[in-house]
Amino acid sequence: MLSEKMIAIIKSTVPVLEVHGTAITKRFYQLLFASHPELLNVFNHANQRQGKQQAALANAVYAAALYIDKLETILPAVKQIAHKHRSLGITADQYPIVGQNLLQAIKEVLGDAATEEILGAWAEAYGVIAGVFIQVEAEMYKEAEEQQGGWAGYRAFRVERKVRESSVISSFYLVPEDGGAIASFKPGQYVSVKMDIPGEANTHIRQYSLSDAPGKPYYRISVKKEEAHHGDPAGVASVYLHEQVKEGDMLLLSAPAGDFALDLEDSRPVVFISGGVGVTPMVSMLNTLVDLKSERTIAFIHAAHNDEVHALKQQVEDTVKQAQHAKAYWCYSNPVAPDAGDFHKEGYIDLPWLQEILPSKEAVYYFCGPAPFMAHINQLLLEWGVASEDIHYEFFGPKGSLEEEAEKAAG
């Protein structure tokens, strides 16, 4: 436990971290990769280039400082990050390396303001926080390995089928090469896929949501091919999966992970809202409810540019027909044929339309998609008066803030 004095010192750094947090984490990653280049095999290079990882870590450090005397407050965030760490294979012996480089980054960025007293307090605080992560992750590693069909580390899976779902998304049906059982998962969770890509110096690991219900003899991931866009390069991993991986090839998978999951104990009406490739965890949730013959009222709402890029559309329509109280709605921002009648709304999801198609706001909501899309949906639901505890969403990539996305959109 930290002393009152140490807690006071850490809290005194909160305003500084609010201003310099991203500069500190940017320098941290520079130091980390210079001293331990092997860790380049773990981190997503695209997120590094775009500054997403640095921003996410800055937010985490800021929250840790703000709630250093009430670490239970940030336990949900700890568990979310711990799921990612377990999926990536982060180990306890890597935490001292992170701590050393983080303290060095604080010292370099803050200069004379980083007194020995402040650095000493942060060193002690980091030890406490790291201990929480290590304990939580140890339990997750044990559970992943010891559950029925579970395993440690990465396991070889064969691409049994590769199916083109739209002009930009393909599904991969993956079965274990060893022929053994596979672990169940919670609808909404993801797997990490580890790839050694020809021509790439480092291993690439990416998380992909499982896009079918648990209980099948396979895992299914549905991957969007990320083309070069607005100055950002094409996605190395997604292009590799689309252009080079074929049926019969092997991929290495970690056991399913993630804290974004459908609550199967809840019997209230449920609304799934997705944008683009964010449809993947929503389909897993929908398929699960239908497989379980749930009597819940289900609304499945998906937004896409048009029919050409709308993945899993027919599957969702067929699945909805099997349920007693389920409906699907499509919203296209740029329909190829506006008079084709294969969608329900042209433009963007708005509150009047939600109020028109949903019988009531009294439901539990799950949504996923690009960050600006999620910020928009979150704002609509709150404006409608939906309780925040009934709103659940998943970020693809480093944890972000919907409030920050809303601010960006505003201006």
Side-chain angles (χ1 to χ4, degrees):
M1 293 294 293
L2 292 171
S3 68
E4 290 296 325
K5 180 181 179 182
M6 291 293 123
I7 289 172
I9 294 172
I10 293 297
K11 279 186 166 291
S12 74
T13 66
V14 167
V16 178
L17 292 174
E18 191 171 16
V19 175
H20 300 287
T22 302
I24 290 170
T25 53
K26 182 178 179 181
R27 181 56 181 153
F28 158 73
Y29 282 114
Q30 292 171 346
L31 292 167
L32 181 68
F33 295 143
S35 59
H36 292 273
E38 72 277 6
L39 292 178
L40 287 166
N41 293 309
V42 176
F43 288 87
N44 184 319
H45 299 184
N47 289 334
Q48 289 288 324
R49 284 194 303 271
Q50 296 167 15
K52 294 180 180 178
Q53 194 72 56
Q54 295 90 329
L57 179 58
N59 288 339
V61 172
Y62 174 79
L66 190 62
Y67 299 107
I68 192 65
D69 54 338
K70 300 175 183 176
L71 287 180
E72 66 276 6
T73 304
I74 63 170
L75 194 56
V78 168
K79 288 184 176 179
Q80 184 181 60
I81 296 169
H83 271 288
K84 185 70 67 74
H85 285 177
R86 200 280 296 158
S87 180
L88 291 170
I90 300 297
T91 55
D93 60 351
Q94 291 171 328
Y95 276 91
I97 296 169
V98 169
Q100 178 183 353
N101 285 282
L102 183 60
L103 288 173
Q104 182 63 31
I106 292 173
K107 184 176 181 179
E108 290 186 17
V109 172
L110 299 187
D112 293 341
T115 64
E116 290 300 321
E117 187 177 50
I118 286 176
L119 292 174
W122 261 107
E124 191 173 336
Y126 176 81
V128 171
I129 296 166
V132 174
F133 273 99
I134 291 169
Q135 181 181 353
V136 170
E137 288 164 19
E139 294 170 359
M140 290 182 176
Y141 277 111
K142 183 179 180 181
E143 180 182 354
E145 184 174 1
E146 295 182 357
Q147 66 180 314
Q148 184 177 1
W151 68 93
Y154 287 88
R155 184 178 177 186
F157 279 70
R158 185 179 74 257
V159 180
E160 185 178 58
R161 280 199 297 151
K162 182 179 179 180
V163 179
R164 181 181 169 91
E165 305 287 7
S166 77
S167 62
V168 294
I169 294 175
S170 289
S171 286
F172 299 79
Y173 291 75
L174 309 169
V175 297
E177 177 63 13
D178 58 23
I182 57 175
S184 186
F185 60 91
K186 297 175 182 178
Q189 290 191 306
Y190 56 81
V191 290
S192 282
V193 181
K194 185 177 183 180
M195 295 162 276
D196 288 314
I197 300 175
E200 290 291 313
N202 299 107
T203 296
H204 289 259
I205 303 174
R206 296 291 185 273
Q207 287 77 41
Y208 296 110
S209 295
L210 292 158
S211 62
D212 205 346
K216 306 289 196 293
Y218 57 80
Y219 290 145
R220 184 178 74 178
I221 58 173
S222 302
V223 180
K224 179 184 178 184
K225 183 180 181 181
E226 297 290 351
E227 304 279 9
H229 183 67
H230 291 314
D232 290 331
V236 174
S238 67
V239 169
Y240 169 70
L241 287 169
H242 274 258
E243 296 185 356
Q244 298 187 48
V245 173
K246 58 187 182 303
E247 292 179 355
D249 287 349
M250 298 298 163
L251 293 172
L252 296 175
L253 269 64
S254 67
D259 68 332
F260 177 67
L262 178 64
D263 181 0
L264 294 173
E265 300 299 319
D266 198 330
S267 61
R268 292 176 295 165
V270 60
V271 180
F272 301 124
I273 308 176
S274 54
V277 76
V279 71
T280 52
M282 303 294 100
V283 170
S284 177
M285 294 180 183
L286 171 68
N287 290 358
T288 301
L289 289 178
V290 174
D291 283 357
L292 293 174
K293 295 180 171 53
S294 171
E295 296 184 358
R296 296 175 73 174
T297 299
I298 304 168
F300 193 102
I301 304 168
H302 181 65
H305 288 304
N306 51 52
D307 190 69
E308 292 179 355
V309 297
H310 184 172
L312 304 168
K313 178 181 180 181
Q314 190 60 54
Q315 291 183 38
V316 170
E317 290 181 344
D318 292 343
T319 301
V320 164
K321 290 176 184 176
Q322 301 173 39
Q324 290 183 333
H325 311 289
K327 291 184 179 180
Y329 304 90
W330 315 132
C331 178
Y332 291 168
S333 60
N334 187 27
V336 176
D339 58 347
D342 60 353
F343 60 95
H344 303 88
K345 176 176 171 55
E346 182 177 354
Y348 298 94
I349 296 173
D350 56 30
L351 188 52
W353 186 55
L354 289 180
Q355 292 171 331
E356 175 187 333
I357 63 176
L358 299 177
S360 165
K361 70 179 180 183
E362 301 306 322
V364 58
Y365 296 79
Y366 294 85
F367 56 90
C368 187
F373 169 84
M374 293 199 298
H376 174 65
I377 298 301
N378 187 58
Q379 200 167 14
L380 293 183
L381 296 179
L382 293 176
E383 183 181 334
W384 196 8
V386 176
S388 58
E389 59 266 26
D390 292 332
I391 298 174
H392 309 277
Y393 55 89
E394 169 78 324
F395 269 95
F396 287 158
K399 176 67 173 176
S401 163
L402 293 190
E403 291 76 13
E404 290 176 2
E405 291 298 330
E407 289 174 6
K408 289 179 188 176

